Amino acid sequence: MAKTRAGARDRAASALDTLHFALDRNSPVPLYYQLAQQLEAAIEHGALAPGNLLGNEIDLSTRLGLSRPTVRQAIQSLVDKGLLVRRRGVGTQVVHSQVKRPLELSSLYDDLEAAGQGPTTRVVRNETVPAAADVAAALGLAQGAEVTLLERLRSTHGQPVALLCNYLPAGLLELDTARLEATGLYRMMRAAGITLHSARQTVGARSATAEEAARLDEKEGAALLTMQRTAYDDTGRAVEYGTHIYRASRYAFDFQLLVRT
Amino acid sequence: MAKTRAGARDRAASALDTLHFALDRNSPVPLYYQLAQQLEAAIEHGALAPGNLLGNEIDLSTRLGLSRPTVRQAIQSLVDKGLLVRRRGVGTQVVHSQVKRPLELSSLYDDLEAAGQGPTTRVVRNETVPAAADVAAALGLAQGAEVTLLERLRSTHGQPVALLCNYLPAGLLELDTARLEATGLYRMMRAAGITLHSARQTVGARSATAEEAARLDEKEGAALLTMQRTAYDDTGRAVEYGTHIYRASRYAFDFQLLVRT
DNA sequence: AAGTGGTCTAGACCACCCG
DNA sequence: GGGTGGTCTAGACCACTTA
């Protein structure tokens, strides 16, 4: 009974039929990326509801004037983000709610996005010191080599949340204290041309020592979250090592993970 | 000065030249996947050392008798895994050590791989109960709906490490206690045809209550790691909610993350 | 049997990096 | 300017799901 425009095959209606996408072939932005962004936006604001089928890739590609591989590339990027699910013989569906907005790995995300309105960061120490054994091992340097020591106190709403202690190979980066407090460490590294590639983190817990308690406004023996991280750039060079402590009463790591199949 | 076989262009030697790959076109395993596996193995055992260039994709594809997109698909999968880095105008390199063996997100990994030699798991409770408010909210059920409550004590070397408390929608799965102890929860879910898609985790810390301390062989007030997780299948349905506590003195979450560019 | 995604091919042109 | 990866096309056949 469905009325379809001439030449269109009779098929189940797809929510995509009513959407139109604006693809600019003169843009430097790749076509697959333009499509992916617009699909993501449509999912984001509900034009494509959870469970909706996207309609088959062939139709979609002819309607958009793209080749199928290009459309597939766009869809695949959203599958990788966890927004879509493909089933052979069935179709491609918008994933059922919940998952959206895959909060990035916190802590790193936190650092990357620092300098938002909420949290403020005060640089307590910013100096060059010889590397202790653990620092040297983590950064792949000789013991005693010069490293930049960075100690920062992060607060929200005027209350301390975390004490961040970072080590970087000396000379890797110009670490201006004022810019650090305004911009965040990772953004400065990115601006300096360092492309982060991977990081390794260990999250644990222990009781606060008297000194830690005093600095974080906690009681001695209070539970603290601890995190150690070594970050590498895309050449495999260790560019940062950090040992951080968080007030467990005011902070938790919250993250989403996708199960690779 | 380099002697090359007839017809080969004169170019920088690639470590790949001396390797040969066995591709079986009759195998049900996709060609790109066969190639990816063999490349990964070569990196793994050092035939391709960190920093080595892979040589350009065109040569590689002709040498292997594959099309360039197929070779690209293989390489891309290893880039996604963090084993290779591509640079336009330069080439594709093996990432400099360190990173290898991207330990999966622990905890989930831990559960997935449970039933290894080390850890043993004892099921303490396995029964059907009405869902409390927080459990109902996490699983997307009505309050009071029937859920399966699973309580397990995990130990290594005869020492308790964690107390795991899981809730699943009733009837989702046959949860035989003996199999649970031998196989692990996630493996049983997979065997039952449930394909995990994503999970959301929160990791925090707090001090042990007297009861928790007694069950985990800790002192009251000792620091504990806490983890809550909700897992979803690929239809977006919540299939598991868990609140877990770990002895901080014997356990830490250790994971690696790749920075998406 | 029909429809879907999964894989694969053989080309093409462009943007970027380097010497 | 020469080499690299990045993008894109227009087909093809296969495997799986559903009815």
Side-chain angles (χ1 to χ4, degrees), chain A residues 16-70:
Chain A
L16 228 57
D17 290 348
T18 61
L19 267 57
H20 70 287
F21 297 92
L23 299 174
D24 177 4
R25 296 192 101 92
N26 295 321
S27 164
V29 179
L31 291 170
Y32 81 88
Y33 194 80
Q34 293 183 37
L35 177 55
Q37 280 186 318
Q38 293 177 43
L39 279 172
E40 185 169 358
I43 294 170
E44 185 66 29
H45 74 272
L48 286 175
N52 279 178
L53 280 168
L54 238 60
N56 77 55
E57 299 170 348
I58 313 279
D59 280 5
L60 189 51
S61 59
T62 62
R63 271 181 41 216
L64 296 174
L66 297 175
S67 71
R68 186 184 168 204
T70 301

Side-chain angles (χ1 to χ4, degrees), chain B residues 86-102:
Chain B
R86 286 208 241 235
R87 298 169 200 267
R88 178 140 55 173
V90 179
T92 303
Q93 287 182 315
V94 179
V95 118
H96 265 101
S97 57
Q98 303 287 0
V99 180
K100 309 302 168 52
R101 285 261 142 252

Side-chain angles (χ1 to χ4, degrees), chain B residues 19 37-50 100-101:
Chain B
L19 268 57
Q37 281 185 316
Q38 293 177 43
L39 278 172
E40 185 170 357
I43 294 170
E44 186 65 29
H45 75 271
L48 286 175
K100 309 302 168 52
R101 285 261 142 252

Side-chain angles (χ1 to χ4, degrees), chain B residues 87-124:
Chain B
R87 298 169 200 267
R88 178 140 55 173
V90 179
T92 303
Q93 287 182 315
V94 179
V95 118
H96 265 101
S97 57
Q98 303 287 0
V99 180
K100 309 302 168 52
R101 285 261 142 252
L103 327 165
E104 307 307 325
L105 246 306
S106 84
S107 75
L108 218 195
Y109 180 69
D110 187 51
D111 283 353
L112 284 163
E113 291 302 305
Q117 324 75 338
T120 61
T121 304
R122 185 165 59 85
V123 174
V124 181

Side-chain angles (χ1 to χ4, degrees), chain A residues 1-258:
Chain A
M1 194 67 65
K3 292 186 193 177
T4 58
R5 66 187 181 287
R9 255 172 293 171
D10 201 18
R11 56 177 166 73
S14 156
L16 228 57
D17 290 348
T18 61
L19 267 57
H20 70 287
F21 297 92
L23 299 174
D24 177 4
R25 296 192 101 92
N26 295 321
S27 164
V29 179
L31 291 170
Y32 81 88
Y33 194 80
Q34 293 183 37
L35 177 55
Q37 280 186 318
Q38 293 177 43
L39 279 172
E40 185 169 358
I43 294 170
E44 185 66 29
H45 74 272
L48 286 175
N52 279 178
L53 280 168
L54 238 60
N56 77 55
E57 299 170 348
I58 313 279
D59 280 5
L60 189 51
S61 59
T62 62
R63 271 181 41 216
L64 296 174
L66 297 175
S67 71
R68 186 184 168 204
T70 301
V71 171
R72 273 184 68 80
Q73 194 174 1
I75 291 177
Q76 186 59 47
S77 71
L78 297 185
V79 170
D80 291 341
K81 278 193 180 183
L83 294 176
L84 298 176
V85 180
R86 285 208 242 235
R87 297 167 202 269
R88 179 144 51 174
V90 178
T92 303
Q93 287 182 315
V94 179
V95 111
H96 265 100
S97 56
Q98 303 287 359
V99 180
K100 311 303 169 47
R101 286 262 145 250
L103 328 166
E104 307 306 326
L105 247 305
S106 83
S107 74
L108 218 195
Y109 179 70
D110 189 49
D111 284 352
L112 283 163
E113 291 302 306
Q117 323 75 340
T120 63
T121 305
R122 186 164 59 83
V123 175
V124 181
R125 298 176 67 183
N126 181 356
E127 53 199 52
T128 301
V129 300
D134 62 329
V135 175
L139 291 177
L141 302 173
Q143 192 168 340
E146 287 204 329
V147 295
T148 301
L149 162 60
L150 208 58
E151 201 173 290
R152 294 172 294 166
L153 184 67
R154 182 155 295 172
S155 307
T156 55
H157 309 106
Q159 287 276 318
V161 176
L163 198 52
L164 313 174
C165 183
N166 292 94
Y167 301 87
L168 296 82
L172 180 71
L173 191 58
E174 183 94 21
L175 284 170
D176 179 67
T177 294
R179 277 199 66 203
L180 254 174
E181 296 190 338
T183 306
L185 176 57
Y186 279 86
R187 202 166 289 183
M188 285 180 71
M189 288 174 64
R190 188 188 184 106
I194 298 168
T195 53
L196 247 45
H197 176 259
S198 63
R200 182 177 176 144
Q201 304 192 151
T202 303
V203 174
R206 60 178 169 80
S207 299
T209 67
E211 193 212 334
E212 290 166 345
R215 298 180 70 178
L216 287 174
D217 201 11
E218 284 277 353
K219 290 187 179 137
E220 183 172 352
L224 297 179
L225 261 177
T226 67
M227 195 264 281
Q228 287 132 61
R229 177 178 57 221
T230 309
Y232 304 90
D233 74 359
D234 57 5
T235 70
R237 180 179 52 160
V239 291
E240 181 241 343
Y241 170 65
T243 64
H244 307 152
I245 56 177
Y246 300 81
R247 294 174 68 179
S249 56
R250 306 200 60 222
Y251 194 84
F253 294 100
D254 185 302
F255 51 90
Q256 175 130 6
L257 61 96
L258 299 176

Side-chain angles (χ1 to χ4, degrees), chain B residues 25 30-32 67-70 88-90:
Chain B
R25 296 191 102 92
L31 291 171
Y32 81 89
S67 70
R68 184 181 169 208
T70 302
R88 178 140 55 173
V90 179

